[in-house]
Amino acid sequence: MKKVIAVLFIIGAFACKDAKKETAEAETVTKEAKPEVKLYAFSGGTVNANKLELFSQDTTYTGQSKEFADAFYVIVHPKGTLMWDAGLPESLVGMDAPYTSPDGAFTVSRKDSVANQLASIGMKPEDIDFIGLSHTHFDHIGHANQLAGSTWLVQEKEYDFVTSEENQKNNPDIYNSIKDLNIIKKIANTDYDVFGDGTVVMKYMPGHTPGHQVLYVDLAEHGPMLLSGDMYHFYENREYRRVPIFNYDVAQTKASMAAFEEFAEANGAKVYLQHSKEDFEKLPKAPNYLK
């Protein structure tokens, strides 16, 4: 009897090892099967914030200024192509000098068009299947109308906000920058998995605007990353959770900041602040890409 038990124990041990081996092999296959996703980073211009005090609810930045990057991105997935954000207006391209807003708050410039930049990776605006905007402020929608043949993935609250009669009357330049986007998929104010496999996900994080969102991208080699939209504009605001005075809802912003940080930590995602010059310089520039 003891011999029989011993034999059964040995068989069981080998069976357990085989099961673990099969599980490990299955996990390896799963990892290897992750789709190849590429992320290209482009410059949508430069923003100089002449009145940095606009970026805090207190007087912390009074008298200071800061230069921001203004990036946009193309994410290439086996199931399609997404452009994330659209930089500054293309009317700035070719201007003799940077443009300063009438209130003196911002000085902006842009050197190149979306068509020229896409050509560097062998693409045209017509090749973009989807356009996702973190939100509809002037420095994120500049060349949006150039992608009229793409499907606009937009949160319902953001769409209602930017197309409202009030906004069309008070901010006609903003409305006119997106009015040609007629192929629309409205998202029900929630997260949206663009390609259905968890590699490219728009995360609904309102507050900066009613339908503000950030982008999660899980790259096979680089690993998970988060493109911040305007959750934070620069490092100090992320560290101290400071909220610009022009945000739509301060309480919502702070709740979204907490959710953003929790998600980043839980998923081991590296955060890239889209307006940070330092973070923009960390990314390879087209035609090079992250993968």
Side-chain angles (χ1 to χ4, degrees), residues 19 44 83 130 170 239 280:
M83 181 173 289
F130 305 102
N170 297 331
E239 182 178 358
F280 183 62

Side-chain angles (χ1 to χ4, degrees), residues 136 141-146 162-163 167-169 171-181:
T136 53
I141 59 175
H143 61 246
N145 282 337
Q146 300 295 317
V162 74
T163 61
N167 194 61
Q168 290 185 48
K169 178 182 178 181
N171 298 295
D173 289 342
I174 296 292
Y175 173 73
N176 289 334
S177 294
I178 53 86
K179 68 181 178 62
D180 292 344
L181 298 177

